[in-house]
Amino acid sequence: MTAISLQANPSDAGSWLQLARKCETAGFDALLVPDHPGSAASPFVALAAAAAVTSAIGLGSYVSNAGVREPMLLAADVATLDVVSGGRARLGLGAGHTPAEWEAIGRHRPDVAGRVRRCTAVAEAVRALLDGAEVSVDISEVTARAARLTGPRPVQDRVPLTVGTGNSHLLRWAGGNADVVGLTGFGRTLPDGHQHQTRWRRDEIEAQLRQVAVGAHGRDDPPQLEALVQKVIVTDDAEADAAGMSAALGMTVAELLATPFVLIGTESEILSAIAEHERRWGVTRFVVREDALDPLTPVIGQLSRRLRGGALGGVPLED
């Protein structure tokens, strides 16, 4: 079943609570908050506020930086959010890439391998803590000694875990362990530490999906696949609106419109693209930015009706 979630960041109380209500009313699957300490809101505080004015929509970080978040504190935040939302918390994790976030807490950003090792160790520890286990970890990247989350305990038996990544090792780990694999489309991090080259071409996407499949081999229930959508434009002339972006990326317009990382076209064309992404890639989940809320609301309405009727089968990137 196709699901579209909204990633947003609060700037003031009134507009944030209004957005949360509007997001739920429009039919989005979840409201998600990015996690960049120092340059973005605390996701769990923002989501707890959103929980108070909603009743059904999922709530989660997208994604928490495992490099600067300690397992015990992260597990407590997620469990508390699950309690105050009545069982709607989601956990999103990534390896992190922004050097300033490490420097701000007195750490140097590890190399890619070190960040991946820490991310998998943090994910395993947080999942175990949420499940009620005692956790001890003693590796160079993470240390925890007899940690146990005795309270509050999550409402859900299993808080869904999304791992957002483009790294081959993490894609394999997520294939074997996550509930959702978040395909970011990110390539190499650019010198500013925040933005990225793209991996949006068909062969690049297929290479990432092969890694997920290797990790998922033997699972009874493989993870769902989710794409982080960088651009949503509802337009009568998709080719014209995609031309500038495709040129900057060094892709043809057709190549750009075929990726799951943009949704550009009429409402009908976007619905067709969503169906094609499921057919071609197995992608059934999408995360879009706040500016896509109004343009996609009619699309989500149509999508819901079609699903009920069974009719639906480097440019810098922000994380």
Side-chain angles (χ1 to χ4, degrees), residues 229-298:
V229 179
Q230 293 288 335
K231 183 67 70 175
V232 174
I233 304 175
V234 178
T235 174
D236 292 331
D237 195 341
E239 292 190 357
D241 280 282
M245 190 175 191
S246 64
L249 285 165
M251 302 172 69
T252 67
V253 168
E255 286 176 325
L256 178 65
L257 294 176
T259 74
F261 304 110
V262 302
L263 295 172
I264 302 175
T266 63
E267 293 173 8
S268 178
E269 287 169 340
I270 288 174
L271 285 165
S272 295
I274 288 171
E276 176 63 12
H277 297 325
E278 179 174 1
R279 185 198 69 79
R280 174 179 285 187
W281 316 114
V283 173
T284 59
R285 305 182 64 88
F286 301 85
V287 176
V288 300
R289 312 295 190 182
E290 182 176 349
D291 60 4
L293 193 159
D294 289 330
L296 276 188
T297 293

Side-chain angles (χ1 to χ4, degrees), residues 150-198:
T150 58
R153 298 293 308 142
V155 174
Q156 298 176 85
D157 291 334
R158 180 184 175 93
V159 175
L161 169 64
T162 297
V163 174
T165 188
N167 175 270
S168 294
H169 182 91
L170 263 185
L171 287 167
R172 291 194 297 275
W173 186 92
N177 296 277
D179 300 289
V180 178
V181 178
L183 303 172
T184 62
F186 294 169
R188 185 181 300 276
T189 303
L190 298 178
D192 69 357
H194 292 275
Q195 298 176 318
H196 311 262
Q197 294 177 343
T198 63

Side-chain angles (χ1 to χ4, degrees), residues 127-142:
R127 170 56 60 74
L129 288 164
L130 291 172
D131 288 345
E134 182 177 283
V135 173
S136 292
V137 184
D138 189 10
I139 60 175
S140 59
E141 289 80 18
V142 183

Side-chain angles (χ1 to χ4, degrees), residues 291-312:
D291 60 4
L293 193 159
D294 289 330
L296 276 188
T297 293
V299 174
I300 291 174
Q302 290 190 51
L303 181 63
S304 297
R305 289 190 291 274
R306 291 191 182 192
L307 287 171
R308 287 195 297 270
L312 186 66

